[in-house]
Amino acid sequence: MRTRRTLQVGRDLLMLALLLSLAGCRGCPKSSPPIHLNPNMDNQPKLRAQSASDFFADGAAMRTPVAGTVARGALPVDDLFQTGREGEGYVVGIPTPVDAELLARGADRYAIYCAPCHADSGNGKGMLFQRAQIESADLVEPRLVDMPSGQIFETISQGLGLMPAYDYAIPVADRWAIVAHVRMLQGSDPTTMSVPNGPRVVAAEGESPNGADEQGAAP
Amino acid sequence: MIGAVAAAGALIAPAIVWYFFSPEFTDVGYQPKQPVAYSHALHAGEMNLDCRYCHANVERSSVASVPPTQTCMNCHQLVGQDRPTLEPVRASAASGEPIRWVRVHEVPDYAFFPHDAHLAAGVGCSSCHGDVASMEVVRLEETLSMGWCLDCHRDPAPHLRPFDELTNTRWQPGEDQAEIGAALLAERGLAPPEECGACHR
């Protein structure tokens, strides 16, 4: 009698275990949202980045800035540094001190934002070419070696033709670091191109630069 | 007899609570269906795109941000224009209506998590998100509970890595991680906070 009862309890427990195992396992992929047993104040009536909101007509919590809005710290006070231009002309050199730190930063950022299309070597045959036969510009060709640094900077900031603009992703200082790295890929020595305080050599569009760039002349 | 049942119950009830009420069960594994068949395994894994190409804010802001449609169009204006899988992306680019990605990782509104501070300290994405570059669809790998945060804050050394490995989600600590981690901890002068106000503010 006693053993039968124990067996019965055992069987019930087994059934319970089987039933619970139907409820899923730890860490198994599931598409139902997490359940919080005590949801107190988990969701407060505040809006977080990229969340939805019923308040605004477009359903998004984040507002699009009015056209022409300038973010704090983004006002171009130093034209040469912020835009790569002075008036109509592009700066030939790099308007920031070029040292090992800047070059390391440039190599790192180039690998993230440019290499997928322009390849590590700069020849324009990156991942996008290998997978989809879409060639980007060859950054080491003579035309680009002769191009003023300011014009390369502007291409990164504003894009060109099929190349998208990267100003949203790459802060100004990092863009100059990338320009320095591109100079290095082209076989120049960017450390000689720094124009922090010296004369702001500026070339008009298309004009072949002089001075600092000469060491970089292509074969 | 009743004693036996009660004893069994007393053993099983905590086991059930332990197993099923823990965020290991309720949260980990969450893998919602997304509106676009976008795959990290393809883009970040096979094509080796760096996380920061798309999650561009992650080093500069507390939120990593899911990329805007424009980021997809950087490439998809050039490739895959004819793919039906990309139709929602094209529609979003044309209308300006954002794609409604389903949020996977979220701490409750009363807690604050800063990405920039963790990346500056040298904690890589995979320490908290798992091997995203192998996932077809992003899955929640960690509990994101307070205990999980504090486990690392009390002993961060095993999770510290060189800065050039931050976004390598296949990074594994080596056998000498104990020494390397301790050295990095001292070198970077890290002091992860344990006081309540750092995360609840």
Side-chain angles (χ1 to χ4, degrees), chain A residues 104-160:
Chain A
R105 181 75 180 169
D108 184 50
R109 296 294 117 169
Y110 180 91
I112 300 172
Y113 296 108
C114 316
C117 298
H118 290 287
D120 290 330
S121 65
N123 69 3
K125 296 190 172 131
M127 175 279 291
L128 213 57
F129 178 77
Q130 285 152 26
R131 289 203 70 112
Q133 279 69 52
I134 290 171
E135 211 170 327
S136 308
D138 179 358
L139 299 182
V140 294
E141 66 165 332
R143 185 177 63 87
L144 281 144
V145 176
D146 287 344
M147 189 178 269
S149 299
Q151 200 175 345
I152 300 182
F153 176 89
E154 194 175 88
T155 306
I156 305 177
S157 309
Q158 300 178 0
L160 181 89

Side-chain angles (χ1 to χ4, degrees), chain B residues 19-33:
Chain B
Y19 190 89
F20 290 102
F21 288 21
S22 145
E24 302 259 10
F25 178 80
T26 57
D27 293 38
V28 175
Y30 178 41
Q31 189 177 40
K33 190 168 163 19

Side-chain angles (χ1 to χ4, degrees), chain B residues 20 40 42 52 61 63 65 88 96 136 160:
Chain B
F20 290 102
H40 278 83
L42 174 64
R52 291 164 289 188
S61 143
V63 290
S65 310
E136 287 293 336
L160 299 178

